[in-house]
Amino acid sequence: MTERPEESKEEMAERRRQQDRDDYNNEMADRDVGRIRRFLPESARGEDTRKRREKEQRQLSALAMLLQNDPEYAALYEDTFDKLRAAEAATETALARARDGLAAANGMLDETLDRASQLPDGTRAFRDADGNVFSEDGQPITGEALDQVRWRDGAPSYEDYLARKKAVTGAQAAYDEILRYQVDVLGHARGRLTDEDNPPTKEELGELQQDIDTQMPDTVRQELTPTSHSEPSAEGTAKIKPLSLGP
């Protein structure tokens, strides 16, 4: 170390101590700064680096390692997650619409029942186009029971009642279909994509994409926007974003 005329002995000692600290830290970090190693033997250089890198690798999840080391996998993974997010958003919208539709159908059925003619015990009675009378559970009303019906002006027909019941059944089926897709298909896909210790293979990623598309109800597909699906970049691969396991 070259002495500087203007330095005091204390300043020169401190500069030497700082140089020692720098040299030691560089050797511990296996940084080659063009100086002779003074603290650690040369034999420790490669071993220290290997152990440090092995420790860093162990701290990475299996999924993170794949995304870091396999660009093709990372592109497919991100494309799959993009499709999942788009499907989840469309499903939420479709589910809300289906819920509203089911509530409206039930409301119309309730209104039909409220306007129906009744027996003394409260059983609703409906007359069909042929003059036959049925209860709300489809049982024929005849004989003395028929004479006890309290007919109301403007009461709905049996055909009206059946149409309202059918609308409720259809609305419920549509809601259940979307809910099943959300839970069984999208929920499964998100579970696999966020499994850091047992990540899906490339083949499974392709299968997840296929399931998201082929099992999608029409009511959900109608909610997809034109930009919901990821477009390839000019280089032919999807743009890779930082790993994000959230929505």
Side-chain angles (χ1 to χ4, degrees):
M1 178 177 293
T2 303
E3 296 184 6
R4 300 175 183 176
E6 68 276 9
E7 284 184 323
S8 66
K9 291 182 179 181
E10 290 79 6
E11 290 173 335
M12 186 168 59
E14 175 58 29
R15 188 157 61 87
R16 286 174 177 170
R17 285 193 292 270
Q18 182 59 51
Q19 184 66 65
D20 289 344
R21 287 193 292 269
D22 291 344
D23 289 345
Y24 178 77
N25 290 333
N26 285 331
E27 290 179 28
M28 287 294 295
D30 199 28
R31 288 191 290 265
D32 187 356
V33 294
R35 294 174 59 84
I36 298 174
R37 293 170 69 87
R38 302 167 55 214
F39 298 97
L40 298 178
E42 287 293 327
S43 60
R45 179 193 295 269
E47 185 67 14
D48 287 345
T49 301
R50 182 182 65 80
K51 289 182 178 179
R52 186 177 68 255
R53 289 176 179 172
E54 286 179 352
K55 181 179 179 181
E56 291 172 351
Q57 289 295 319
R58 286 195 300 269
Q59 291 173 344
L60 290 175
S61 69
L63 175 58
M65 289 179 64
L66 275 173
L67 294 174
Q68 184 180 80
N69 299 324
D70 188 340
E72 183 180 350
Y73 180 91
L76 181 58
Y77 176 90
E78 189 64 28
D79 186 53
T80 305
F81 224 136
D82 284 345
K83 286 179 169 59
L84 172 62
R85 294 187 187 99
E88 286 176 333
T91 298
E92 282 293 336
T93 302
L95 199 61
R97 292 185 189 277
R99 188 183 299 114
D100 291 343
L102 179 58
N106 276 311
M108 295 182 70
L109 177 60
D110 290 342
E111 188 268 342
T112 299
L113 291 172
D114 289 342
R115 295 191 299 108
S117 301
Q118 296 182 5
L119 289 168
D121 64 1
T123 300
R124 275 85 169 189
F126 302 92
R127 193 192 306 275
D128 68 10
D130 297 325
N132 301 306
V133 179
F134 298 90
S135 67
E136 59 191 276
D137 59 1
Q139 297 299 314
I141 299 176
T142 59
E144 293 183 4
L146 182 59
D147 295 335
Q148 297 177 16
V149 174
R150 299 170 183 172
W151 297 104
R152 300 178 61 177
D153 292 337
S157 67
Y158 191 52
E159 288 81 3
D160 292 335
Y161 169 67
L162 291 180
R164 297 289 183 263
K165 280 189 65 176
K166 183 177 181 181
V168 170
T169 301
Q172 184 68 61
Y175 179 85
D176 291 344
E177 181 186 29
I178 299 170
L179 190 61
R180 181 203 64 79
Y181 175 71
Q182 183 184 57
V183 174
D184 294 348
V185 178
L186 302 185
H188 169 71
R190 178 166 281 275
R192 292 299 296 125
L193 289 172
T194 56
D195 190 336
E196 296 193 47
D197 297 322
N198 181 32
T201 63
K202 292 178 183 178
E203 291 74 16
E204 188 178 356
L205 288 175
E207 292 170 358
L208 291 174
Q209 289 199 25
Q210 184 176 23
D211 287 344
I212 290 172
D213 181 62
T214 60
Q215 298 191 45
M216 182 181 292
D218 290 339
T219 49
V220 173
R221 197 176 304 279
Q222 292 169 3
E223 302 298 337
L224 284 174
T225 61
T227 58
S228 293
H229 298 290
S230 60
E231 295 293 336
S233 67
E235 290 77 17
T237 58
K239 182 179 179 181
I240 306 303
K241 304 174 184 177
L243 172 60
S244 172
L245 301 183

